[in-house]
Amino acid sequence: MKLPTIIEHKRFRSPAVTPQALAWDGQSLWMGSRDLRRIYGIDVRTWTVFREAEPPGIPWAAVATNGSLRFTIGEGPDDDRYIRRFVPNFGFPEKDRIACPEFTGSYLSYDGDHLYLSQWYKHRILKLDAGGKVIREIDVGAEVSGHVFIDDLIYVLRGTEQDGERWRIAQLDPRQETPEVRDIAVVPFACRSLTFDGEEFWTNQRAANEIASFALPN
């Protein structure tokens, strides 16, 4: 059966080139620029930047976690991946630094208790404990370009980068022993990161330097 396409609501010029990381903290949108290695707090009502900071590497992904944010940061010449905590009025505490499994990983989501980290080339999402140890693996069946928790379910952008940037948004229930990944709709552009503001999804079209909001088809 042919999948419907997402319903795009708004599209904005990114405040910086190559928007990559994206997270909603309950009030504002946070974006990380891959090439500039900067992060930006965005007021979506006025589409203005209210906070800018320099992370200790490349901000590949972000998620809000109980008053702070977590970023997947690529550090050093080999782009080794670490999860770093960011406190908006403070910065990145050096003690809050967790190595990603095998120093690889990108997108993040959060269920209220645990972080979930996806690994692009291994087509999986990993549930982590507080120290970064893997306590569960979820096979997604394709490359992952973003995921977010909504009402105990994971919504995930999955597809392929090499085969013409073909992407879909899918849903899975992590409470199942072997979650079934169900495609819901086609995303008709090269999407990077996924977050949800309570009403709309948000994602980046990195190559176009744009940030878009969308809804699922009825």
Side-chain angles (χ1 to χ4, degrees), residues 28-105:
S28 307
L29 200 63
W30 290 85
M31 186 276 291
S33 165
R34 183 195 65 183
D35 291 357
L36 296 185
R37 301 188 179 197
R38 310 276 302 177
I39 62 175
Y40 305 84
I42 304 169
D43 183 334
V44 297
R45 297 166 297 179
T46 59
W47 204 250
T48 55
V49 172
F50 65 85
R51 177 81 162 89
E52 182 177 346
E54 183 177 3
I58 302 171
W60 286 106
V63 69
T65 56
N66 300 332
S68 62
L69 293 106
R70 295 294 200 283
F71 281 84
T72 305
I73 301 293
E75 301 183 22
D78 294 326
D79 192 28
D80 290 335
R81 304 294 171 87
Y82 294 86
I83 298 172
R84 300 289 299 258
R85 181 168 170 259
F86 174 70
V87 182
N89 293 325
F90 177 79
F92 289 87
E94 187 60 36
K95 65 182 180 65
D96 294 324
R97 180 176 183 259
I98 298 171
C100 293
E102 304 159 335
F103 296 105
T104 64

Side-chain angles (χ1 to χ4, degrees), residues 156-181:
V156 57
L157 297 172
R158 67 171 188 160
T160 176
E161 179 182 23
Q162 300 299 325
D163 187 18
E165 292 274 13
R166 299 170 62 184
W167 296 98
R168 308 173 302 281
I169 184 168
Q171 181 193 80
L172 64 92
D173 186 345
R175 294 167 295 187
Q176 297 175 345
E177 184 175 348
T178 304
E180 176 189 0
V181 185

Side-chain angles (χ1 to χ4, degrees), residues 105-212:
S106 50
Y107 300 99
L108 293 166
S109 58
Y110 183 62
D111 68 1
D113 294 307
H114 295 90
L115 285 171
Y116 289 69
L117 171 75
S118 55
Q119 292 181 315
W120 183 286
Y121 295 110
K122 295 191 176 182
H123 303 175
R124 65 184 184 179
I125 297 174
L126 305 176
K127 181 180 181 179
L128 307 178
D129 69 10
K133 181 181 177 182
V134 177
I135 55 179
R136 188 182 183 193
E137 299 180 11
I138 300 173
D139 181 18
V140 178
E143 295 167 12
V144 178
S145 67
H147 45 99
V148 64
F149 267 87
I150 305 174
D151 297 331
D152 297 322
L153 302 177
I154 299 177
Y155 290 79
V156 57
L157 297 172
R158 67 171 188 160
T160 176
E161 179 182 23
Q162 300 299 325
D163 187 18
E165 292 274 13
R166 299 170 62 184
W167 296 98
R168 308 173 302 281
I169 184 168
Q171 181 193 80
L172 64 92
D173 186 345
R175 294 167 295 187
Q176 297 175 345
E177 184 175 348
T178 304
E180 176 189 0
V181 185
R182 181 177 67 88
D183 288 325
I184 300 171
V186 171
V187 182
F189 54 86
C191 46
R192 297 293 186 271
S193 289
L194 185 66
T195 193
F196 185 70
D197 69 4
E199 296 181 359
E200 300 179 310
F201 292 92
W202 291 83
T203 190
N204 298 309
Q205 187 173 358
R206 189 178 67 195
N209 296 321
E210 292 178 339
I211 302 172

